Amino acid sequence: MIEENRVGSKIRQLREAKEMTVEELAEASQSSEELIQQLENGALVPSLTPLLKIARALGVRLGTFLDDMPQSGPVIIRAGRSENVVRFSGKTEKPKKSALEFYSLASDKADRHMEPFIIDIHPSPDESHQLSSHEGEEFIYVLSGEIEIFYGKDVQRLNAGDSIYYDSIVPHDVHAAGEEDAKILAVVYAPL
């Protein structure tokens, strides 16, 4: 089982609360039953795009998978040191390790419309960089290292201090450029 199965446990909890079967959630999220089962059992490092589809099928924000005790007031994270981390794979078929580590900067903020993260991006040279899309918008600011973004038919390379804002309905992929880690601030908006 992968480290701590916070995401898988939350998916199961939400699915059961809505009285959905694994089959119903798979159909609603355009995923396979096997994927849902592997996520719920912690046997798979999730990829971001299927999680967005699962969140939408469950009628929740992506950040709900990180929420512990939502609060209505401001949420403060000191020096970017969030305790709430989710590790995502890249887009390979059977991921064995995390390519992205998402540190939530607002995991306990109730009724939020944006998902701010600090993301550590690890190089994955064997990755095919499959493009994915979902409704919403994304803002990325590079804190360190260099990233490459495939956006539709365009390719952008960004260094520390650079930023990009784009519609995430356009097929895209964000990954480390070269063999060094990168760190970004990302704000994701995905409507329910």
Side-chain angles (χ1 to χ4, degrees):
M1 183 182 272
I2 295 168
E3 302 172 352
E4 179 185 342
N5 187 24
R6 171 185 265 166
V7 172
S9 297
K10 196 69 140 186
I11 291 171
R12 182 188 312 265
Q13 175 188 10
L14 292 165
R15 178 181 58 76
E16 289 174 351
K18 293 190 178 293
E19 299 181 354
M20 293 178 82
T21 65
V22 168
E23 182 180 60
E24 290 168 335
L25 179 56
E27 185 177 328
S29 64
Q30 301 172 340
S31 304
S32 69
E33 290 178 45
E34 179 184 17
L35 174 72
I36 303 294
Q37 290 169 337
Q38 288 179 331
L39 288 173
E40 287 187 358
N41 295 330
L44 182 69
V45 177
S47 170
L48 183 58
T49 298
L51 279 184
L52 283 166
K53 290 179 179 179
I54 291 168
R56 170 165 246 151
L58 290 169
V60 299
R61 298 171 284 97
L62 174 64
T64 302
F65 297 143
L66 296 172
D67 293 350
D68 287 331
M69 298 183 62
Q71 51 189 340
S72 58
V75 172
I76 298 172
I77 303 295
R78 302 281 182 198
R81 297 178 195 256
S82 173
E83 298 294 320
N84 293 312
V85 61
V86 174
R87 289 169 176 82
F88 291 107
S89 69
K91 296 181 185 73
T92 53
E93 282 293 309
K94 302 246 181 205
K96 295 185 170 53
K97 65 176 192 165
S98 168
L100 304 168
E101 294 173 359
F102 281 57
Y103 295 86
S104 177
L105 299 178
S107 63
D108 293 334
K109 175 69 175 117
D111 302 321
R112 66 187 177 273
H113 300 285
M114 300 179 297
E115 298 292 342
F117 299 100
I118 297 289
I119 305 173
D120 289 333
I121 304 175
H122 307 293
S124 40
D126 59 338
E127 190 165 332
S128 63
H129 303 300
Q130 297 173 0
L131 304 183
S132 62
S133 66
H134 54 88
E135 288 188 50
E137 301 172 347
E138 297 181 31
F139 170 79
I140 293 173
Y141 180 85
V142 182
L143 297 167
S144 64
E146 183 179 15
I147 64 170
E148 189 172 61
I149 300 174
F150 293 175
Y151 184 75
K153 294 180 181 182
D154 296 330
V155 177
Q156 302 291 335
R157 282 181 90 99
L158 303 177
N159 295 296
D162 294 343
S163 67
I164 186 171
Y165 189 113
Y166 56 87
D167 293 318
S168 37
I169 195 70
V170 174
H172 61 280
D173 179 71
V174 178
H175 52 273
E179 298 181 22
E180 300 294 322
D181 286 354
K183 184 182 289 282
I184 63 174
L185 166 68
V187 180
V188 178
Y189 167 72
L192 287 178

